[in-house]
């Protein structure tokens, strides 16, 4: 099994990079997408997840780790996995190392997407997301062919409720406090591949593909 992690602040472009890696045969695991699926299903767990997400807070490590465990268990066999937005805390990273170890494997690379806060605010303020397939667009940098409609499935594009300036700032604070320590954690293991994510979408995607070769 191959395991690659996409690390970086909200809006750095993790999902956008994941799209091209999925074309290279990686199975894309986005914990954000898995959590939004629980909200869509209106499960009791979904209600709690929504409350936290809308405030820009993290969902508990326990819930997120269990979700990842289930996805891996149901995938089975030899696979190339791309983790987008997981792990996001040191506790998640340590548990994840244990899960991989019990599978006789470990993390191959951690791609760190580096991007300044002002660019992030512009990116997330203009992000539009398909309500059905989760495909991501940007009103200026990656517009859909027909405004408000997904190119893939024709469904409605929405502005996520947590993509407003106030919640974005909160998410950036939470990132700095709880996720940024993972950079030192993975650096110490020699796994970090830094990428300048302030470049254009095409440039970031090709830099990542080049670094992974
Ligand atoms: P973004 O695209 O902004 O990085 P995601 O879709 O990855 O956002 O995540 C949206 C929200 O889902 C996060 O703000 C957080 O509330 C929750 N979430 C996603 N992944 C995790 C995780 N690994 N641990 C805790 N909460 C998470
Ligand atoms: P993340 O998964 O890290 O939260 P996304 O991939 O969803 O980030 O990207 C956030 C927003 O910024 C989206 O609207 C996306 O189209 C746009 N975007 C992503 N990468 C770039 C880039 N390199 N330059 C400009 N806009 C970008």
């Amino acid at each position: 099994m191959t395991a690659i992690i996409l690390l970086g602040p909200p809006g750095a472009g993790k999902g956008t990079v994941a799209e091209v890696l999925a074309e290279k045969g990686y199975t894309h695991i986005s914990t954000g997408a898995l959590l939004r699926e629980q909200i869509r299903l209106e499960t009791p767990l979904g209600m709690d997840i929504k409350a936290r997400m809308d405030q820009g807070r993290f969902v508990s490590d326990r819930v997120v780790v269990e979700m990842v465990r289930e996805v891996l268990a149901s995938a089975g066999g030899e696979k190339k996995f791309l983790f987008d937005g997981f792990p996001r805390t040191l506790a998640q990273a340590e548990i994840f190392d244990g899960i991989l170890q019990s599978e006789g494997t470990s993390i191959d690379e951690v791609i760190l997407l580096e991007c300044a806060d002002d660019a992030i605010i512009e990116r997330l303020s203009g992000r539009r997301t398909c309500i059905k397939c989760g495909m991501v667009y940007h009103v200026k940098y990656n517009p859909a062919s027909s405004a408000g409609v997904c190119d893939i499935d024709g469904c409605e594009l929405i502005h996520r409720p947590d993509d407003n300036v106030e919640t974005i700032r909160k998410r950036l604070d939470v990132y700095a406090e709880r996720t940024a320590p993972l950079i030192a954690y993975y650096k110490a293991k020699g796994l970090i591949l830094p990428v300048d994510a302030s470049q254009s979408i095409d440039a970031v995607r090709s830099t990542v593909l080049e670094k992974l070769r």
Side-chain angles (χ1 to χ4, degrees):
M1 176 172 132
T2 307
I4 292 185
I5 292 175
L6 286 174
L7 183 64
K14 301 182 292 299
T16 301
V17 164
E19 264 174 49
V20 286
L21 291 180
E23 287 166 13
K24 301 276 169 197
Y26 285 91
T27 300
H28 178 199
I29 300 183
S30 156
T31 44
L34 292 170
L35 291 166
R36 280 186 291 276
E37 179 63 11
Q38 289 294 318
I39 297 176
R40 201 183 62 79
L41 294 171
E42 297 183 345
T43 61
L45 181 61
M47 306 283 278
D48 178 56
I49 293 171
K50 179 167 170 50
R52 287 172 187 254
M53 251 196 207
D54 284 355
Q55 291 170 27
R57 293 158 61 213
F58 281 172
V59 174
S60 74
D61 290 336
R62 189 180 50 80
V63 166
V64 173
V65 166
E66 273 324 300
M67 266 179 7
V68 170
R69 228 190 267 276
E70 273 173 34
V71 172
L72 289 178
S74 64
E78 190 69 16
K79 276 248 174 190
K80 284 160 66 171
F81 289 104
L82 179 68
F83 295 89
D84 162 4
F86 176 87
R88 255 174 156 108
T89 65
L90 274 176
Q92 290 177 18
E94 285 165 2
I95 299 169
F96 190 43
D97 281 344
I99 295 174
L100 293 178
Q101 208 174 2
S102 68
E103 301 270 333
T105 184
S106 62
I107 294 161
D108 294 274
E109 317 274 3
V110 177
I111 298 165
L112 173 64
L113 297 179
E114 297 176 300
C115 191
D117 287 3
D118 52 353
I120 283 171
I121 290 171
E122 195 198 3
R123 287 182 187 182
L124 292 183
S125 302
R127 174 160 70 179
R128 296 295 180 268
T129 308
C130 175
I131 43 163
K132 179 136 181 268
C133 72
M135 187 74 171
V136 160
Y137 300 84
H138 190 279
V139 289
K140 181 165 154 199
Y141 299 115
N142 183 24
S145 315
S146 167
V149 180
C150 181
D151 291 355
I152 310 289
D153 57 21
C155 289
E156 183 194 354
L157 302 183
I158 57 148
H159 188 204
R160 267 170 49 180
D162 55 339
D163 280 347
N164 66 79
V165 177
E166 191 193 342
T167 312
I168 296 166
R169 287 194 200 282
K170 166 76 179 162
R171 287 155 67 201
L172 287 172
D173 288 346
V174 173
Y175 175 81
E177 188 191 326
R178 302 195 60 196
T179 308
L182 293 184
I183 299 169
Y185 178 82
Y186 289 126
K187 229 178 222 169
K189 295 175 185 279
L191 291 174
I192 293 271
L193 284 179
V195 171
D196 174 8
S198 68
Q199 312 167 85
S200 70
I201 291 179
D202 285 347
V204 174
R205 283 173 167 168
S206 41
T207 306
V208 169
L209 290 174
E210 226 162 77
K211 290 209 177 197
L212 278 181
R213 254 194 296 138

